[in-house]
Amino acid sequence: MRTDSSPGTLPAREHLPADAAGTPVLDVVIPVYNEEKDLQPCVLRLHDHLARTFPYPFRITIADNASTDTTPDVARLLESRIPEVRSFRLEQKGRGRALRTVWSASDAPILAYMDVDLSTDLNALLPLVAPLISGHSDLAIGSRLSRSSRVVRGAKREFISRSYNLILRGSLQARFSDAQCGFKAIRRDVAQILLPLVEDTGWFFDTEMLVLAERAGLRIHEVPVDWVDDPNSTVHIVKTATDDLKGVWRVGRALATGSLPLDRLTRPFGDDPRDREIMDVPKGLARQLVGFCVVGGLSTLFYLLLYSGFRQFAGSQLANALALLVSAIANTAANRRLTFGVRGRAGAARHQAQGLVVFGIGLALTSGSLVALNAATSDPAHSTELAVLIAANLAATVLRFLLFRVWVFSDRREGESRPTHVVASSVPVPTAYPAGGAPQPPMAPGHGTAQGAYGPHDTTQFRVGEAADGTWRDATMQLQPVRPHDTDPRDAR
């Protein structure tokens, strides 16, 4: 899998500015290979639709990936005749390669693509990109499997499409409904970080991009589409299906081993000052409890099996120590990934070391219970030993969860770097008017204060928990009112 460096953590979502003069808001890419007959009708129809219905500047980019017919000549002719059309030539085949290359070079904030056959009704294009323009979503896909979609295609393709999506749900836990529909869009700031992580250069490119985005917590918007199958499609179904299954295995293995730096794609909350990450409030307690109980139950069974095996050739104390050591290492690794959502290898050694300390406490509890049992009876039955160990393990499990949560996998530790989500204070500063009583004109963007309807507000940027002088105080940010009237005593609310 790719591990290329990328710009870093994504900022909070925000609506695209409305004054980006001269830059297309939308760049629609049409990847083609030997499409000399269909290319011109497709581009003309798409351009006419966008010119009539799309309220923002747009661009249509033809991504020719190594065509051997007259497709490049048709693309250049369209580029010369239509100002909003440009062509791009690649000397290697692969739809994924074409999309990555063109999207990476585009300056448009919204990037989309559609197949040259225009099987998808173009009326879905504006609903597809609108959530990305508004900042609501990170990616958007057309879905032919939605209940409100209207699809015309043969039984063979219907079976293949639904089977493929079932495979994705069962193997990669994908929650999006349609990975293969050639009608997708992505925000450019997301693409700049996500695309270097996508390895596939062919038809699996879409699926890999969506799976990684979903696992990273990005928001994927689905649009029901009307879709008519192209009977003249040149897609080789068997080869494509084989490559897709290989891609599913490769991506699943990478996700299981935590080798993908998906933390680069995490987003903070939006720009509303009330949307803050309060560091001292426990997060996901119910989910963590469920995950911990499942892992704990499996670990207990694993421990008992190990103990019974070791007991065949060792004493009770040695068998207990060996079984608890092996199960504790497996338990820490499972809880790290499944219960507390820690990905990657960073900090894994430290977590295992701290887990061994927790193991030592559990060993003391279980060993102490065996000592007490042997003191009570000289030759306890094997079933009695197991019952005592189960009770001791239940007590150790409760303690293990508490230690994992507040110490091993705690969100904040002494000596580690603090979160660096950039926020802006909304603390009103005293309004100073000149003698005439007129307010001062607004300050230019980029200055330390911003003029509002209620006077200037300090917008100095700082990190949560960091004071203006650079010193650290309590990380729980004391939020100020979002607007002055939120706490106005004259407000009837």
Side-chain angles (χ1 to χ4, degrees), residues 382-468:
H382 182 65
S383 59
T384 305
E385 284 185 347
L386 291 180
V388 171
L389 288 174
I390 290 173
N393 268 281
L394 287 176
T397 298
V398 175
L399 183 60
R400 184 183 302 117
F401 176 76
L402 295 176
L403 290 176
F404 276 173
R405 183 171 174 79
V406 303
W407 179 46
V408 180
F409 303 112
S410 175
D411 287 335
R412 185 180 64 180
R413 302 181 186 86
E414 294 298 330
E416 291 191 358
S417 59
R418 305 276 180 157
T420 57
H421 297 315
V422 178
V423 297
S425 71
S426 183
V427 183
V429 297
T431 304
Y433 294 133
Q440 296 288 345
M443 297 186 70
H447 288 264
T449 59
Q451 188 78 16
Y454 296 88
H457 288 68
D458 181 16
T459 58
T460 303
Q461 293 184 337
F462 58 94
R463 293 179 294 172
V464 175
E466 183 180 21

Side-chain angles (χ1 to χ4, degrees), residues 6 8-11 13 138-139 172-176 186 189-191 193-195 197-198 207-220 251 254-255 258-269 337 341-344 421:
S6 56
T9 304
L10 288 168
R13 298 184 191 94
D138 300 297
L139 298 92
L172 299 178
Q173 289 79 51
R175 295 189 299 273
F176 47 86
I186 185 173
D189 57 349
V190 176
I193 302 178
L194 176 58
L195 294 185
L197 304 180
V198 180
T207 302
E208 185 172 353
M209 178 181 68
L210 291 174
V211 169
L212 298 187
E214 188 175 72
R215 286 298 186 94
L218 298 180
R219 183 174 294 158
I220 302 175
V251 172
L255 293 174
S259 61
L260 289 169
L262 297 181
D263 54 336
R264 298 175 182 173
L265 293 164
T266 56
R267 278 196 186 274
F269 283 106
R337 177 65 181 88
V342 181
R343 300 182 176 92
H421 297 315

Side-chain angles (χ1 to χ4, degrees), residues 191-240:
Q192 289 176 337
I193 302 178
L194 176 58
L195 294 185
L197 304 180
V198 180
E199 180 176 338
D200 192 80
T201 59
W203 293 97
F204 188 69
F205 175 87
D206 304 46
T207 302
E208 185 172 353
M209 178 181 68
L210 291 174
V211 169
L212 298 187
E214 188 175 72
R215 286 298 186 94
L218 298 180
R219 183 174 294 158
I220 302 175
H221 178 72
E222 295 197 18
V223 178
V225 297
D226 298 341
W227 194 84
V228 179
D229 188 16
D230 179 13
N232 299 319
S233 175
T234 58
V235 178
H236 300 286
I237 296 179
V238 175
K239 182 180 185 302
T240 301

Side-chain angles (χ1 to χ4, degrees), residues 57-373:
F58 64 89
R59 178 194 298 134
I60 301 173
T61 302
I62 303 168
D64 173 28
N65 45 321
S67 293
T68 57
D69 60 2
T70 62
T71 298
D73 299 329
V74 177
R76 286 192 293 268
L77 179 63
L78 292 169
E79 182 179 25
S80 64
R81 291 182 177 180
I82 305 176
E84 291 84 6
V85 175
R86 74 172 185 178
S87 63
F88 197 95
R89 167 76 176 180
L90 291 90
E91 298 302 330
Q92 291 179 291
K93 289 183 60 177
R95 184 181 67 170
R97 178 181 289 107
L99 290 176
R100 179 190 292 116
T101 303
V102 176
W103 278 356
S104 299
S106 178
D107 59 348
I110 304 299
L111 309 169
Y113 96 88
M114 61 182 60
D115 292 335
V116 69
D117 56 15
L118 293 186
S119 297
T120 305
D121 182 13
L122 292 178
N123 288 324
L125 182 55
L126 183 55
L128 182 81
V129 301
L132 308 186
I133 294 175
S134 68
H136 174 271
S137 301
D138 300 297
L139 298 92
I141 64 174
S143 175
R144 300 163 297 182
L145 302 182
S146 173
R147 289 186 177 181
S148 56
S149 298
R150 296 184 297 177
V151 177
V152 179
R153 62 176 168 182
K156 180 180 179 181
R157 283 183 174 269
E158 181 77 11
F159 174 78
I160 292 174
S161 179
R162 292 189 178 274
S163 299
Y164 180 66
N165 283 282
L166 285 175
I167 291 174
L168 293 181
R169 289 177 178 270
S171 59
L172 299 178
Q173 289 79 51
R175 295 189 299 273
F176 47 86
S177 64
D178 192 353
Q180 295 176 310
C181 181
F183 195 69
K184 296 181 176 68
I186 185 173
R187 286 178 63 103
R188 182 166 63 94
D189 57 349
V190 176
Q192 289 176 337
I193 302 178
L194 176 58
L195 294 185
L197 304 180
V198 180
E199 180 176 338
D200 192 80
T201 59
W203 293 97
F204 188 69
F205 175 87
D206 304 46
T207 302
E208 185 172 353
M209 178 181 68
L210 291 174
V211 169
L212 298 187
E214 188 175 72
R215 286 298 186 94
L218 298 180
R219 183 174 294 158
I220 302 175
H221 178 72
E222 295 197 18
V223 178
V225 297
D226 298 341
W227 194 84
V228 179
D229 188 16
D230 179 13
N232 299 319
S233 175
T234 58
V235 178
H236 300 286
I237 296 179
V238 175
K239 182 180 185 302
T240 301
T242 303
D243 293 341
D244 287 349
L245 292 177
K246 292 179 181 178
V248 169
W249 168 258
R250 174 176 52 79
V251 172
R253 183 178 57 185
L255 293 174
T257 57
S259 61
L260 289 169
L262 297 181
D263 54 336
R264 298 175 182 173
L265 293 164
T266 56
R267 278 196 186 274
F269 283 106
D271 58 357
D272 191 322
R274 287 169 290 192
D275 294 334
R276 296 291 182 254
E277 182 180 1
I278 307 302
M279 299 303 297
D280 293 339
V281 177
K283 297 177 292 185
L285 178 60
R287 182 191 63 79
Q288 290 179 358
L289 278 174
V290 172
F292 184 82
C293 289
V294 172
V295 173
L298 295 176
S299 298
T300 300
L301 293 176
F302 184 49
Y303 161 79
L304 293 175
L305 290 175
L306 290 174
Y307 177 81
S308 298
F310 292 144
R311 193 67 174 85
Q312 301 300 319
F313 59 85
S316 61
Q317 291 288 3
L318 180 58
N320 173 65
L322 292 175
L324 195 58
L325 175 61
V326 175
S327 61
I329 294 175
N331 181 276
T332 300
N335 276 304
R336 181 178 187 269
R337 177 65 181 88
L338 302 177
T339 303
F340 297 96
V342 181
R343 300 182 176 92
R345 298 188 177 93
R350 185 187 71 247
H351 292 154
Q352 283 291 352
Q354 292 172 321
L356 290 178
V357 174
V358 179
F359 152 75
I361 298 175
L363 178 62
L365 287 175
T366 54
S367 297
S369 65
L370 287 176
V371 170
L373 177 62

